[in-house]
Amino acid sequence: MSRFSNFLLVLLLFVSASAGATTYYIDSVNGNDNASGLEESLAWQSFAKVKSFKENQGFQLGDTIKLACGSKWNDSLDFRNSSYKAFPSIITADENCSEKPTIIGSDRLNGWTQLERKESATIYYKDLDSSVSQLFVNGDAIRMARYPKSGYLHVSSDSVSQDDCFPPVDAIDPSSSFAPHKYVGSCYFSSGNDLAIPENESLSGAFVAIRTAEYWIDRRKVASNSNGIVEWENKTRYMPKAGHNYYLENKLWMLNEVTQDEWVFDAQIGRVYLALIDDSLGPRDPDENITVDASVRDYGIIAMDTQDIKISNIAIKHSANHGIYLKSVDRTEIHNVEISESGEDGIYQLLIPESISIRKSKIINSRRDAIKLLESDSAEVNIEENLVSGSGVTDFNLGSPRESYAAIFAEDLSALIKNNTVIESGYIGVRIGLGSSVIQNIVSDSCIALSDCGGIYTRHHPRSYLDPWPLLADSSIISQNIVTNSDEGVHTQSSSYGIYLDDWSNNVAVKQNTVSGYSSGILIHLAQNNLVRENTLYGNKNQQIYITENLDPDYEGMVYNNRIYSNNIFPTKVQTPISL
């Protein structure tokens, strides 16, 4: 069946399902949960009413939830429960709202108790009924208390594999089998003499962030520490080795010395501690002269096992995990949505049966990745005209990007990624797999925190690293992009590449791009049958085009049939424009 025939079939099914569709209005200011919700003047007020309605009467496929401009809800929309009739298909608002309706994953915290007064800071505490993943003071995220306050500690010796150490699972959906890479690490490391824990204190319940590869930071909750061994439950992606950097978070004793606002959450007793540095007028009081908000809800919108979802013209902020979480949702459209300050990913979709479109949206300051799309063999994916900024925590006061794959991650599927602006990424800017097109994007200031990284990155693994990889029909195109870093790479890591064709990238056309400010402009690593032409490369520190195999003799001859011609090269500060 042709793509046009498929489109007509989907259209007919949607029109049929929508024939009896109903619009339900929600207004947090002027609504009333006792009203019908069927007119703007009879709008519901709360998401609790939406939950009650879906579990009792039930929505129909094709129904619309329309949110009033300027409304705010400290709540989430949860469409997972399969016991009701169907999901509303459209969650939207007026396109021209001066202030978008906003779904807020945080709660305002008042009623603090002073615990201790320091020389230039005050520590407060508050008991809560829920866990906390982020804290915001006057709207700005502040970091979890850490040790050491700056720099890192170091693993003293290599760890080894353990039979009773297992990979982590998806916290929202434990049945998910997604693992972009195998976990081959461990559940412990040996600490060195640089770890000095105060007397009568421990690390139990703390978080450890360990850099097990130059491009990867694992974060685990410490189960115990004794005799120089720090242990946790879930396997790290790679094996901790001697010299690896790590730091610790989230113990009350880490607030003994503070140089900036910090916080701790004690999950055992449900208590959050907040250390506030004095300002020019003296001590600050969280109940008087500042606001404190805590991320307590995992997501803004979550939906599973449904179809024809459209989300538009709204804002989502302060989600503890994901702004929007979708699994097995057929035909998703996300348009003109603003997602900010997500504790993990801005948009996360797992198992895409048919299509997803993300257009004209803003995803700002996601602590991990902005857009993460996973597991699909044949879905139609369009990511166009979006602004993605601050993905992977590029504010080092908040910590390094942990378990991050890319600001835009679409490696498991074929995607059109076009006319997006991706700026200030802790790791990769755009990451694709086979059969994708990355066209006319601006990718600026990637690789700020992690190494072995690309502004635009692709790879593909064959079944065996040692088998030559044939020419693939499903080619990828990387064309007409501007890939640059400010200050000629001053803010990037040493092993950063503007366009990075990694392991077994095959039949990729890299053409008419402008690349500057990286350690190398274009890297071809263990890749075959690729075309690099008509690109403009300048100001990359080491090479403008770099072609390399691994040092391991087993990989000799794995770079072949790459064609490079008609490129414009201006080696402003390097002596080797092209390096083999």
Side-chain angles (χ1 to χ4, degrees), residues 161-181:
S161 60
Q162 302 162 289
D163 293 336
D164 58 348
C165 178
F166 303 100
V169 297
D170 188 306
I172 293 179
D173 182 18
S175 66
S176 171
S177 62
F178 167 68
H181 305 277

Side-chain angles (χ1 to χ4, degrees), residues 265-497:
F265 180 69
D266 188 332
Q268 286 190 325
I269 62 174
R271 177 172 291 179
V272 61
Y273 298 90
L274 171 63
L276 293 176
I277 298 295
D278 296 349
D279 63 16
S280 59
L281 300 178
R284 293 183 293 159
D285 189 328
D287 287 325
E288 292 186 4
N289 50 17
I290 65 170
T291 62
V292 181
D293 299 287
S295 292
V296 295
R297 281 171 286 278
D298 287 339
Y299 39 76
I301 297 174
I302 183 169
M304 295 183 180
D305 303 311
T306 185
Q307 61 188 20
D308 298 310
I309 289 285
K310 297 182 180 180
I311 304 170
S312 63
N313 307 326
I314 67 170
I316 300 170
K317 71 176 186 178
H318 292 181
S319 299
N321 292 334
H322 312 293
I324 298 175
Y325 181 100
L326 306 169
K327 181 185 176 185
S328 299
V329 176
D330 235 347
R331 300 180 295 275
T332 302
E333 294 182 22
I334 298 172
H335 173 76
N336 191 30
V337 173
E338 297 181 6
I339 303 174
S340 61
E341 307 286 355
S342 299
E344 293 188 7
D345 306 312
I347 299 171
Y348 181 108
Q349 177 150 2
L350 177 65
L351 299 175
I352 307 169
E354 190 164 319
S355 66
I356 181 171
S357 172
I358 304 171
R359 297 182 62 249
K360 295 187 176 180
S361 294
K362 297 179 181 178
I363 304 102
I364 310 297
N365 293 342
S366 304
R367 302 290 175 246
R368 193 163 66 183
D369 301 326
I371 299 173
K372 183 176 285 178
L373 307 179
L374 308 169
E375 294 190 17
S376 176
D377 293 329
S378 58
E380 182 176 339
V381 177
N382 293 282
I383 304 172
E384 300 182 71
E385 301 179 79
N386 301 288
L387 170 64
V388 171
S389 176
S391 179
V393 188
T394 57
D395 181 349
F396 292 102
N397 286 329
L398 298 176
S400 301
R402 294 168 294 216
E403 302 178 8
S404 171
Y405 290 96
I408 298 177
F409 180 84
E411 189 175 73
D412 295 338
L413 37 81
S414 298
L416 172 63
I417 302 174
K418 184 176 181 181
N419 288 332
N420 301 282
T421 299
V422 182
I423 59 177
E424 294 186 345
S425 306
Y427 188 38
I428 292 167
V430 177
R431 183 166 178 166
I432 61 168
L434 292 173
S436 292
S437 296
V438 182
I439 300 173
Q440 297 175 351
N441 301 280
I442 297 173
V443 181
S444 176
D445 293 322
S446 302
C447 311
I448 292 179
L450 299 179
S451 302
D452 195 14
C453 168
I456 299 174
Y457 174 96
T458 186
R459 64 166 197 166
H460 184 73
H461 285 312
R463 294 179 180 178
S464 169
Y465 277 4
L466 303 182
D467 293 334
W469 194 240
L471 185 68
L472 298 174
D474 294 329
S475 61
S476 294
I477 298 172
I478 301 173
S479 178
Q480 303 175 60
N481 302 282
I482 297 174
V483 187
T484 184
N485 275 324
S486 60
D487 299 328
E488 294 188 336
V490 169
H491 298 300
T492 63
Q493 297 294 300
S494 57
S495 299
S496 65
Y497 311 100

Side-chain angles (χ1 to χ4, degrees), residues 68-230:
C69 296
S71 287
K72 292 178 171 61
W73 295 269
N74 294 85
D75 210 333
S76 60
L77 287 173
D78 187 338
F79 300 114
R80 283 181 290 180
N81 188 345
S82 59
S83 65
Y84 52 85
K85 293 181 182 178
F87 301 90
S89 291
I90 302 172
I91 302 168
T92 190
D94 288 337
E95 188 171 3
N96 298 317
C97 287
S98 59
E99 182 182 4
K100 286 181 169 62
T102 305
I103 300 172
I104 304 171
S106 63
D107 283 340
R108 180 65 48 86
L109 301 186
N110 297 305
W112 294 84
T113 300
Q114 182 173 323
L115 176 69
E116 186 178 356
R117 173 68 188 159
K118 300 286 188 181
E119 180 178 352
S120 59
T122 308
I123 300 176
Y124 301 88
Y125 71 86
K126 179 176 174 57
D127 294 330
L128 300 174
D129 295 328
S130 56
S131 62
V132 175
S133 70
Q134 302 184 96
L135 214 64
F136 302 85
V137 171
N138 291 336
D140 295 325
I142 64 172
R143 80 176 184 183
M144 183 176 279
R146 63 165 282 178
Y147 174 82
K149 294 302 179 187
S150 61
Y152 304 94
L153 304 172
H154 304 284
V155 176
S156 65
S157 60
D158 292 356
S159 301
V160 297
S161 60
Q162 302 162 289
D163 293 336
D164 58 348
C165 178
F166 303 100
V169 297
D170 188 306
I172 293 179
D173 182 18
S175 66
S176 171
S177 62
F178 167 68
H181 305 277
K182 292 181 179 179
Y183 283 76
V184 295
S186 189
C187 289
Y188 81 97
F189 65 68
S190 300
S191 60
N193 295 329
D194 52 358
L195 175 58
I197 303 172
E199 188 176 357
N200 299 322
E201 299 289 356
S202 76
L203 294 182
S204 179
F207 291 106
V208 57
I210 177 171
R211 190 166 180 171
T212 53
E214 58 182 332
Y215 51 85
W216 189 257
I217 296 175
D218 287 287
R219 187 175 190 252
R220 298 290 184 267
K221 189 173 183 177
V222 176
S224 66
N225 69 287
S226 62
N227 300 318
I229 302 297
V230 178

